[in-house]
Amino acid sequence: MVIDQHFGASERYRLSHLVDKAEHLIQTVALPSLVQFVMRVALAVPFWKSGILKWTGFLKLSDTAVTLFTDEFMLHLPGGPYHYPLPAVMAFLSGCGEITFPVLLVLGLGTRFAALGLLFMTMIVELTVPDGWPIHLTWAAMALGIMAWGPGRISADHLIHGFPRQAN
């Protein structure tokens, strides 16, 4: 073994001890609940930024949002691309999802369902902008991670469901 040729037992022990200390430091910094919170915020940000641009007032879509779904955005499916069906409805639903799901994610409320909603939206975005797959893949990975491991302790879901229930 290469390590055996260059290091004696005491050097291997010191190296192993140093690696253990480094791993402990990393585990101290990357607490699972903190990582889950950061992942929720990281997924929420791009959708929130897109969604906030679609509105000019409470439940009032901007003309630009409707125009994008009417004239610019296309579904890249076999035999296409195709225009979005019901572009005003699609713009409204997209705008609602891009505002609601990120808020739920950051709060950690209905977290797995909010992540599922953003995963679905990510798939639609991928059909609209197929060249954006590298960033869409990161969004999908974050959404799947949130769906798999939940919101963590820094969440409303944990406050609501995480504590042991009292016997009646």
Side-chain angles (χ1 to χ4, degrees):
M1 199 179 222
V2 174
I3 292 177
D4 288 338
Q5 294 171 357
H6 297 300
F7 297 108
S10 64
E11 288 86 5
R12 284 194 310 270
Y13 173 78
R14 283 194 293 255
L15 180 61
S16 173
H17 185 67
L18 182 63
V19 168
D20 288 344
K21 281 186 160 194
E23 285 180 355
H24 179 70
L25 177 63
I26 290 168
Q27 288 175 342
T28 301
V29 173
L31 294 171
S33 288
L34 178 62
V35 171
Q36 288 166 299
F37 175 71
V38 170
M39 194 162 43
R40 291 188 344 246
V41 171
L43 180 58
V45 167
F47 286 92
W48 173 265
K49 287 172 74 173
S50 175
I52 205 72
L53 296 174
K54 288 185 173 63
W55 301 97
T56 58
F58 183 70
L59 296 180
K60 180 160 176 22
L61 277 175
S62 70
D63 293 337
T64 305
V66 176
T67 300
L68 285 172
F69 279 87
T70 303
D71 300 330
E72 298 293 323
F73 292 164
M74 303 286 279
L75 292 171
H76 295 269
L77 296 168
Y82 301 102
H83 287 282
Y84 268 88
L86 305 169
V89 172
M90 295 303 288
F92 182 80
L93 292 175
S94 173
C96 287
E98 288 176 329
I99 294 297
T100 305
F101 294 142
V103 169
L104 292 173
L105 273 186
V106 170
L107 294 175
L109 183 62
T111 308
R112 284 185 163 110
F113 295 108
L116 177 63
L118 290 181
L119 178 62
F120 179 73
M121 290 184 74
T122 298
M123 292 186 301
I124 300 300
V125 170
E126 176 59 23
L127 292 174
T128 306
V129 187
D131 292 340
W133 69 266
I135 192 71
H136 304 157
L137 183 60
T138 62
W139 296 345
M142 287 187 284
L144 288 167
I146 293 164
M147 291 164 57
W149 292 292
R153 291 179 179 214
I154 307 170
S155 68
D157 285 342
H158 179 73
L159 290 174
I160 294 167
H161 303 290
F163 296 118
R165 298 186 183 182
Q166 300 293 326
N168 291 341

